[in-house]
Amino acid sequence: MSVMLAVTHLLGLLSLTFALETSVPTPISCTTRASDLTEDRSLVVCPPNCVVWQLPVFGSAVYAAVSSICGAAVHRGVITASGGQLRVLKVPGQENYVGSYSNGIRSQNLSKWTSSFSVYSSVSQPMEVSGHTTSMPKSNQAKKTVKKNMKKPPSNGNKDCQVDIAMLLDGSYNIGHRRFNLQKNFASKLVLMMRTGPEGPHIGVVQASETPVIEFFLKNFTQPKDVNFAIKEISFRGGNTNTGKAMMYTVENFFSAEHGVRRGVPRVILVLVDGWPSDNLEEAATRARESGINVFFVSVAKPGPEELSMVQDKDFAQKAVCKDNGFFSFSMPSWFGTTKYVKPLAQRLCSADQMLCSKTCYNSVNLAFLIDGSSSVGDNNFRLVLEFIASVARNFEISDTGSRVGAVQFTYDQKMEFDFNEHTDKDRALMAIQAIRYMSGGTATGEAITYAVSNLFKKATSGKNFLIIITDGQSYDDVRGPALAAQKEGITVISVGVAWAPLDDLKAMASEPKESHTFFTREFTGLKQFHQNIAKRICSDFTDRN
């Protein structure tokens, strides 16, 4: 019996020793990479002064496995330059890693890597939720063990709230550490109320401070728990409240397909400001509107009468928002007791139909070019026509949520060169225009108009429709009837004539007032004088019709 007790006691000690050993961090060097670790989950300790090295770090929040673990941990704010303990969790590789500057570490861009990792504070335990990464405090480990078989299925999100949001958190010294944490709590409640998910709203975060930093993109996390954990892990950065700088940075770097932006979904910058910004917002707001991005402003703790003298621009909120109609601005007296504001703010952000105020003539039109490819044009002049068309198109913001371009070439027959959905990138659309090959043949402009209405504009899902006809001669068929039919379909017709094109036919095709929708030049080289005037005509029509 005593032998059995001794064996049992020894096994207990061995078990306890093993448990203690697994909680002991493994020392690593400044240059140790995540790919050097053999375990998917590791507790490590970094030495001090790693920041003096030129450490290879690729990505932000989620890092390529070829990165230095300690460099990534300092960049993320999990440890300081003095080193310390942290947890490392390996995750699948990504198609793109976006670099940023943070905490003295400049991380780099990387197009693709086979595996990734995330770093966490040593006081929280990473775990898997819905195929992504989150964490759980140690005090909840027992609950996790008991409930691991009761995990809820992943949420698809609120399908009635499809919107892509860049949430700008105020990380300036003006808000301070305490209110910064209250702001993060409010953001987390908003995420839950909006019901983020693959088929619902997607949210990424940018921290506005002295230098703006993208904390995570739309594609990094889609489940509410994952988004909230990522928000919880954001470190306070400090500095001036450079809101305008952060807005411009977000417009230029956040909203792209490679970062998770979805086609046809409203894009919103949700700006949270404690007090007032220390820079100008107007230029960034204009750039956002021109890019089809809606700015929504949440002001907290507005400046009092005695503080107004310190505010650079007292109308900063009105100038920043997408439209100064009261819908795109929201106010809270403080970060305390904000629960009652979560639902009404979520309802506004989910009103997709009203989230389109940034639409302008530059990003909300469908431009169809009807190109005369008849024998009288000739190859050299046809090149001049294509240059003219490209010059007109270059004035507009062509994208999957902006303006679209389509082209039909005609002789006696019609050829769909490309429709509105084929080239939703501006550079590719311009290249497609220049690549059109000259057909040569007769001239049947009326049939070409009918063809364009039936085969091109039927595929236009939104936006104002414009048909720009370029021809150099007399049509063999009637043009008046097809042009009127197109106008009845809501299509504005602009006619551009060259050389022998009859002025009567040009005016017969053009929309009212005909004088301002008709252009004519004797020489093909004269077409270049019209592209700015045509762009202005389109914008004038767009404004009048709105």
Side-chain angles (χ1 to χ4, degrees), residues 87-252:
R87 294 186 182 274
V88 181
L89 174 66
K90 292 186 178 181
V91 295
Q94 295 197 141
E95 292 296 322
N96 186 49
Y97 299 85
V98 179
S100 62
Y101 181 81
S102 180
N103 299 317
I105 298 288
R106 168 68 69 180
S107 71
Q108 303 174 58
N109 296 326
L110 189 63
S111 59
K112 187 177 182 180
W113 200 254
T114 53
S115 58
S116 313
F117 71 100
S118 294
V119 289
Y120 302 90
S121 168
S122 59
V123 300
S124 61
Q125 175 65 48
M127 58 174 284
E128 298 292 333
V129 173
S130 308
H132 297 290
T133 304
T134 184
S135 73
M136 181 174 288
K138 289 183 177 181
S139 60
N140 288 338
Q141 294 304 301
K143 294 180 181 178
K144 178 220 172 186
T145 303
V146 173
K147 295 185 177 180
K148 66 180 181 179
N149 294 322
M150 299 172 62
K151 191 185 299 181
K152 292 182 178 180
S155 169
N156 288 327
N158 183 3
K159 296 180 181 179
D160 295 326
C161 181
Q162 292 193 345
V163 59
D164 288 342
I165 297 177
M167 190 183 297
L168 260 66
L169 298 184
D170 187 343
S172 67
Y173 288 137
N174 194 53
I175 192 172
H177 282 274
R178 185 187 182 196
R179 297 202 302 273
F180 180 74
N181 288 329
L182 292 173
Q183 178 186 216
K184 291 199 298 181
N185 290 338
F186 176 77
S188 296
K189 292 175 184 176
L190 187 61
V191 167
L192 293 174
M193 180 62 69
M194 294 183 70
R195 291 166 51 205
T196 57
E199 298 178 25
H202 290 186
I203 294 176
V205 172
V206 179
Q207 187 173 169
S209 55
E210 189 69 34
T211 302
V213 173
I214 296 174
E215 300 291 351
F216 57 90
F217 289 102
L218 297 164
K219 72 173 186 178
N220 292 138
F221 310 100
T222 56
Q223 289 298 309
K225 288 185 179 180
D226 301 344
V227 178
N228 282 342
F229 175 73
I231 292 173
K232 178 185 175 184
E233 290 292 298
I234 294 173
S235 302
F236 176 69
R237 297 183 182 276
N240 287 325
T241 314
N242 291 331
T243 308
K245 185 178 180 181
M247 286 169 57
M248 184 69 78
Y249 182 81
T250 305
V251 170
E252 294 176 346

Side-chain angles (χ1 to χ4, degrees), residues 247-248 250-252 255 267-269 271 280-297 313 315-325 328 355-365 396-399 401-403 542:
M247 286 169 57
M248 184 69 78
T250 305
V251 170
E252 294 176 346
F255 292 100
R267 302 168 185 182
V268 179
I269 298 178
V271 184
N280 188 275
L281 310 183
E282 198 163 2
E283 183 181 354
T286 301
R287 180 70 179 276
R289 283 191 289 272
E290 291 176 349
S291 302
I293 299 168
N294 305 274
V295 178
F296 196 107
F297 215 82
D313 187 348
D315 298 324
F316 63 87
Q318 287 78 9
K319 291 181 178 180
V321 293
C322 178
K323 182 184 291 184
D324 185 20
N325 61 357
F328 289 88
M355 278 297 178
L356 298 173
C357 76
S358 62
K359 294 300 182 183
T360 68
C361 64
Y362 297 107
N363 60 31
S364 305
V365 296
F396 297 87
E397 298 296 330
I398 301 167
S399 70
T401 58
S403 292
F542 179 92

Side-chain angles (χ1 to χ4, degrees), residues 190 193 339-348:
L190 187 61
M193 180 62 69
T339 302
K340 63 183 178 181
Y341 299 105
V342 174
K343 185 175 181 180
L345 178 56
Q347 289 174 336
R348 285 206 206 177

Side-chain angles (χ1 to χ4, degrees), residues 336-385:
F336 299 94
T338 57
T339 302
K340 63 183 178 181
Y341 299 105
V342 174
K343 185 175 181 180
L345 178 56
Q347 289 174 336
R348 285 206 206 177
L349 292 172
C350 287
S351 301
D353 290 342
Q354 298 186 63
M355 278 297 178
L356 298 173
C357 76
S358 62
K359 294 300 182 183
T360 68
C361 64
Y362 297 107
N363 60 31
S364 305
V365 296
N366 300 311
L367 301 177
F369 294 96
L370 199 56
I371 310 166
D372 187 344
S374 62
S375 301
S376 58
V377 175
D379 190 72
N380 290 336
N381 287 335
F382 190 78
R383 293 294 106 197
L384 294 175
V385 171

